[in-house]
Amino acid sequence: MYVQRQISTPPVVKNLIIANCVALLATTLLPFGDELLTRFALFNVESPLFHSYQVFTYMFLHGGVSHLFFNMFALWMFGRQLELELGSQRFFTYYMVCGIGAALLQLGVGYAEYAHALDAGGLNAAMRFLYVPTVGASGAVFGLLLAFGVLHPNNIVMLIFPPIAMKAKWFVLIYGLLELFFGLSGYQSGVAHFAHLGGMLWGLALLYWWRKRGNLRF
């Protein structure tokens, strides 16, 4: 997708993209790359691999080049305008809140799945929820999509696949509903749909908090 506007890349967006690219190179090329993933990806709170700092570090790791590309493309496309409008410090705060908020919701859902499997099938059935990592900037990026739709509801967004133009508010609403459907239905397993929703929900809450305090108008 793209937004019909040409603007320069401000510092926070640029540095976030660099950090994510460096992290992928490290986990791919370094001989201890797998250990980095094990230590810094997000694991179920009941997993022996879980550490509290993972709610921050997971968003800089990705599962491959295509995963990184689509997240960084969305960060670059939507983040540039948002950083220029919000200011670099507030934009960085917003991005981090969305990413960490996404991790917290994902942890909550993961714990609920683990507890349900433990009650229904015992420890062996529940073990599969303990060692599946969550990685990616998608939660934070979905927060950016939400912010763009809230701040610029009538701007036109052109999708690449399929090539359809729509207003940003409908784009965000449809995307959010799809993520909710996939998360509840179990389709597209292996994708952290609730992390995506968490990024959007925490982003919406923060935008309205800033608005209530008079720090943001929309």
Side-chain angles (χ1 to χ4, degrees):
M1 78 243 1
Y2 68 85
V3 182
Q4 295 178 339
R5 186 172 179 182
Q6 297 295 324
I7 52 180
S8 60
T9 303
V12 173
V13 170
K14 183 186 299 183
N15 288 322
L16 285 172
I17 292 174
I18 292 172
N20 279 272
C21 291
V22 169
L24 181 66
L25 289 174
T27 56
T28 303
L29 300 179
L30 293 179
F32 49 87
D34 290 341
E35 182 180 345
L36 292 176
L37 282 171
T38 301
R39 184 172 295 274
F40 296 114
L42 181 67
F43 286 90
N44 191 297
V45 70
E46 291 292 326
S47 172
L49 300 176
F50 172 75
H51 298 281
S52 58
Y53 58 77
Q54 293 171 355
V55 301
F56 169 77
T57 57
Y58 87 102
M59 70 179 86
F60 293 95
L61 303 175
H62 287 82
V65 174
S66 62
H67 188 203
L68 174 73
F69 171 78
F70 286 111
N71 276 341
M72 294 304 98
F73 179 72
L75 168 59
W76 178 79
M77 189 57 63
F78 294 97
R80 291 176 300 159
Q81 183 168 339
L82 291 172
E83 183 177 347
L84 292 175
E85 293 174 346
L86 298 175
S88 293
Q89 183 175 355
R90 185 176 293 174
F91 174 81
F92 183 71
T93 298
Y94 180 84
Y95 184 90
M96 289 294 110
V97 167
C98 291
I100 294 172
L104 294 177
L105 183 59
Q106 181 67 23
L107 286 176
V109 171
Y111 176 78
E113 290 176 332
Y114 167 79
H116 176 73
L118 189 63
D119 291 339
L123 184 59
N124 289 335
M127 287 290 286
R128 64 190 180 95
F129 293 102
L130 297 184
Y131 297 97
V132 178
T134 298
V135 295
S138 302
V141 167
F142 268 78
L144 299 185
L145 300 184
L146 184 280
F148 191 86
V150 170
L151 299 177
H152 304 283
N154 295 316
N155 277 31
I156 300 300
V157 176
M158 175 65 76
L159 306 182
I160 295 177
F161 300 109
I164 299 174
M166 68 177 67
K167 291 184 177 180
K169 59 185 177 183
W170 301 123
F171 168 73
V172 170
L173 179 61
I174 291 171
Y175 231 125
L177 291 175
L178 284 174
E179 289 299 318
L180 181 62
F181 168 75
F182 287 132
L184 294 175
S185 66
Y187 288 107
Q188 286 193 345
S189 60
V191 178
H193 297 291
F194 285 103
H196 300 168
L197 289 170
M200 298 178 82
L201 291 173
W202 279 81
L204 184 63
L206 183 55
L207 289 177
Y208 275 92
W209 170 251
W210 282 338
R211 183 186 185 187
K212 183 178 180 180
R213 292 170 58 90
N215 296 326
L216 188 66
R217 296 186 178 210
F218 57 87

